[in-house]
C-alpha cells in the first residue's frame, strides 16, 4: 500500500530564516506530487505540482520554491521566510492512472514569528 | 474567481439525521468531482467521487449527487454521526493532459451534535 510522509509536523521559524519541508511517498512509482497551503480559516491553495523528476510548475507567485530531486521526494523551500508564509502545508500525491483522487500527507504547521 | 463554491461555511445537524453539503461550480469542462473530509491539523481524507457521466454515487453512508445542468453537486451523509464532525471540501478537475489539478472549494464545517 502507498504511504506519504511529511516532516517536520510543526515548525516555528523567525522571519528571514530559511525553510525546508520534505515529503516522501512510498509504494508507488512516478506519481504526480503537489504542495498545498491552508491559511487559517481558508481553503486549500495549490502552490506547486510536479509530474516528474526536476519538473516543477508554480501556481502562484510567492516567496517559496519547490524541487523534486528523486521520483518520490518533493521538497518545499524558502531562502527567507516572511510572516505571511505561516500556515499549514500539505503534500499530496496522485497515481497517473487515476482520474483525480489525490492523497494527502499529515501536514506541517509552520509559524513564522 | 472561485470556480468551485461551497456557499455554506458551516452546518449543524443532530446525530442520526441527514447531513447535506452543497457545492456549485462554474466551469462546464469539469468532468470529475470529489469530496474530502478534514480534521484539524490533519491532511484531507478522500471520501467519495463522481464522474460527470453519472448523477449518483454511493458508498456506505455517503452519497454524492451531481446535477450537471445546474452545475451543482451535493454530499449526503445518512445517518450522521458525531465522528463526521469535520470540514468537508468539494473539489473538481478536468481531463486536461496528465496534470489533473484539483480546484477546491473553501469548505463547509459540519458539526454533528449528539
Amino acid at each position: 500500500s502507498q504511504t506519504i510522509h511529511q516532516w517536520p509536523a510543526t515548525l516555528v521559524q523567525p522571519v528571514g530564516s530559511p525553510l525546508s519541508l520534505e515529503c516522501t511517498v512510498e509504494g508507488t512509482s512516478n506519481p504526480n506530487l503537489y504542495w498545498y497551503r491552508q491559511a487559517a480559516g481558508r481553503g486549500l491553495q495549490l502552490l506547486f505540482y510536479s509530474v516528474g523528476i526536476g519538473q516543477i510548475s508554480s501556481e502562484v507567485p510567492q516567496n517559496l520554491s519547490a524541487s523534486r530531486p528523486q521520483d518520490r521526494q518533493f521538497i518545499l523551500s524558502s531562502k527567507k521566510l516572511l510572516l505571511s508564509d505561516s500556515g499549514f502545508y500539505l503534500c499530496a500525491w496522485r497515481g497517473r492512472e487515476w482520474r483525480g483522487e489525490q492523497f494527502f500527507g499529515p501536514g506541517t504547521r509552520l509559524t513564522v514569528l | 474567481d472561485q470556480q468551485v463554491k461551497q456557499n455554506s461555511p458551516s452546518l449543524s445537524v443532530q446525530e442520526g439525521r441527514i447531513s447535506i453539503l452543497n457545492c456549485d461550480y462554474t466551469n462546464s469542462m469539469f468532468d470529475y468531482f470529489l469530496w474530502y473530509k478534514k480534521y484539524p491539523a490533519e491532511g484531507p481524507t478522500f471520501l467519495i467521487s463522481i464522474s460527470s457521466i453519472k448523477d449518483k454515487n454511493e458508498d456506505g453512508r455517503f452519497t454524492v449527487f451531481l446535477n450537471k445542468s445546474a452545475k451543482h453537486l451535493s454530499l449526503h451523509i445518512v445517518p450522521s454521526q458525531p465522528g463526521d464532525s469535520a470540514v468537508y471540501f468539494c473539489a473538481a478537475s478536468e481531463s486536461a493532459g496528465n496534470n489533473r489539478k484539483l480546484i477546491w472549494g473553501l469548505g463547509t464545517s459540519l458539526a454533528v451534535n449528539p
Side-chain angles (χ1 to χ4, degrees):
Chain A
S1 64
Q2 302 88 3
T3 55
I4 179 169
H5 304 278
Q6 277 187 253
W7 62 92
T10 59
L11 192 58
V12 180
Q13 293 283 100
V15 169
S17 64
L19 173 74
S20 181
L21 302 181
E22 188 163 343
C23 170
T24 59
V25 182
E26 295 177 359
T28 186
S29 296
N30 201 22
N32 281 9
L33 296 173
Y34 306 85
W35 277 112
Y36 288 88
R37 176 171 58 205
Q38 185 184 24
R42 302 289 295 172
L44 298 173
Q45 181 186 35
L46 179 63
L47 302 175
F48 300 95
Y49 66 90
S50 171
V51 299
I53 295 174
Q55 300 179 61
I56 308 295
S57 295
S58 175
E59 284 296 294
V60 294
Q62 59 201 303
N63 183 43
L64 302 168
S65 62
S67 62
R68 184 170 177 175
Q70 300 180 42
D71 180 45
R72 289 169 289 177
Q73 184 185 30
F74 205 20
I75 298 172
L76 185 69
S77 304
S78 173
K79 292 182 179 178
K80 288 186 177 181
L81 284 168
L82 306 173
L83 286 174
S84 57
D85 292 324
S86 294
F88 191 52
Y89 288 83
L90 289 155
C91 181
W93 72 276
R94 177 177 71 82
R96 296 301 178 101
E97 67 280 9
W98 294 344
R99 291 292 301 276
E101 292 85 352
Q102 294 179 14
F103 299 92
F104 286 81
T108 295
R109 170 69 61 191
L110 172 65
T111 303
V112 183
L113 301 175
Chain B
D1 179 37
Q2 196 75 17
Q3 296 187 65
V4 176
K5 300 178 184 178
Q6 294 179 256
N7 292 318
S8 298
S10 62
L11 176 67
S12 184
V13 171
Q14 284 298 117
E15 180 179 6
R17 307 294 287 269
I18 184 171
S19 294
I20 300 176
L21 297 104
N22 294 303
C23 179
D24 297 294
Y25 62 96
T26 58
N27 187 344
S28 58
M29 298 302 293
F30 288 148
D31 62 355
Y32 202 65
F33 303 88
L34 307 92
W35 284 94
Y36 282 79
K37 172 182 179 180
K38 186 182 182 301
Y39 293 118
E42 294 185 10
T45 302
F46 169 70
L47 270 179
I48 192 169
S49 60
I50 189 167
S51 165
S52 60
I53 62 173
K54 295 186 176 181
D55 55 19
K56 177 182 175 181
N57 188 26
E58 191 172 354
D59 184 2
R61 296 186 298 115
F62 302 92
T63 302
V64 56
F65 295 93
L66 175 62
N67 183 334
K68 284 183 62 180
S69 61
K71 293 191 178 67
H72 177 84
L73 63 154
S74 60
L75 175 68
H76 293 209
I77 306 174
V78 184
S80 301
Q81 300 173 354
D84 296 328
S85 298
V87 176
Y88 288 79
F89 289 99
C90 171
S93 74
E94 59 177 297
S95 54
N98 178 42
N99 177 26
R100 273 208 171 269
K101 291 185 292 183
L102 292 180
I103 309 301
W104 296 81
L106 294 182
T108 296
S109 179
L110 173 65
V112 179
N113 306 306

